[in-house]
Amino acid sequence: MDPLERLLAERACERVVIDFVRRLDLGEPSSVAELFTEDGVWEWPAPGDGRRSEGREALREYFGSRPADRLSRRIMSNILVTVTSADTAEATSYFTTYRVDGYSGAMVPPGPPVQVGHYEDTFRKWDGTWLLASRTLHLPFGGPTTRLPG
């Protein structure tokens, strides 16, 4: 792989990482399933709660089940993509999540983040497009989602 091809692959994978959180926070959460391969996997292994969704339909259902009144914003950083072949790559990225339930459209006073962790991702290039093959959540800092009064 020449340096330009590697750079383009890294950028495409970074874009998937950023698009994932944009869709969760500002778009249609269930649409993140389109960023995965047909057999893609999202999981939160032990010491997490053991959740695992496999396949686009299961991913669409899982991410689409978020409460309609949830307001979230995620900050992604330290995105490191390593291209392992012409059609595969790996990445690690860090995130901070601010989130409340019961959102009605008004400005919400800032509070501490409810999650700080990282993702370990694998990517596959399919039909010219880089997609998530797997996304594994690691969450060393987490707490409950606050419900706004109302």
Side-chain angles (χ1 to χ4, degrees):
M1 192 174 222
D2 72 41
L4 182 56
E5 289 173 320
R6 182 175 301 281
L7 182 64
L8 291 172
E10 289 171 352
R11 179 63 185 118
C13 293
E14 289 172 1
R15 178 71 186 223
V16 171
V17 168
I18 298 300
D19 197 16
F20 182 94
V21 297
R22 184 189 61 80
R23 289 176 185 215
L24 286 180
D25 289 347
L26 300 175
E28 177 58 39
S30 64
S31 75
V32 301
E34 299 162 15
L35 299 173
F36 285 83
T37 58
E38 286 291 333
D39 60 348
V41 174
W42 180 94
E43 64 182 329
W44 185 13
D49 68 3
R51 260 183 275 177
R52 179 182 169 91
S53 293
E54 185 169 350
R56 279 194 182 147
E57 203 49 49
L59 291 162
R60 193 175 337 284
E61 183 178 325
Y62 172 68
F63 287 108
S65 69
R66 294 171 183 274
D69 64 352
R70 176 163 284 173
L71 171 67
S72 62
R73 293 295 183 269
R74 291 166 182 83
I75 301 168
M76 298 299 299
S77 66
N78 303 356
I79 302 170
L80 176 62
V81 176
T82 303
V83 177
T84 54
S85 78
D87 297 321
T88 61
E90 300 172 344
T92 302
S93 58
Y94 292 78
F95 68 90
T96 303
T97 304
Y98 295 86
R99 180 174 61 215
V100 294
D101 287 344
Y103 180 67
S104 63
M107 188 177 293
V108 177
V114 295
Q115 297 177 331
V116 178
H118 75 278
Y119 284 109
E120 292 179 1
D121 299 321
T122 62
F123 298 89
R124 278 198 316 252
K125 190 175 183 182
W126 180 257
D127 202 22
T129 301
W130 286 94
L131 298 169
L132 284 161
S134 68
R135 172 156 262 211
T136 304
L137 170 67
H138 298 274
L139 191 61
F141 301 98
T145 299
T146 300
R147 173 156 283 286
L148 298 173

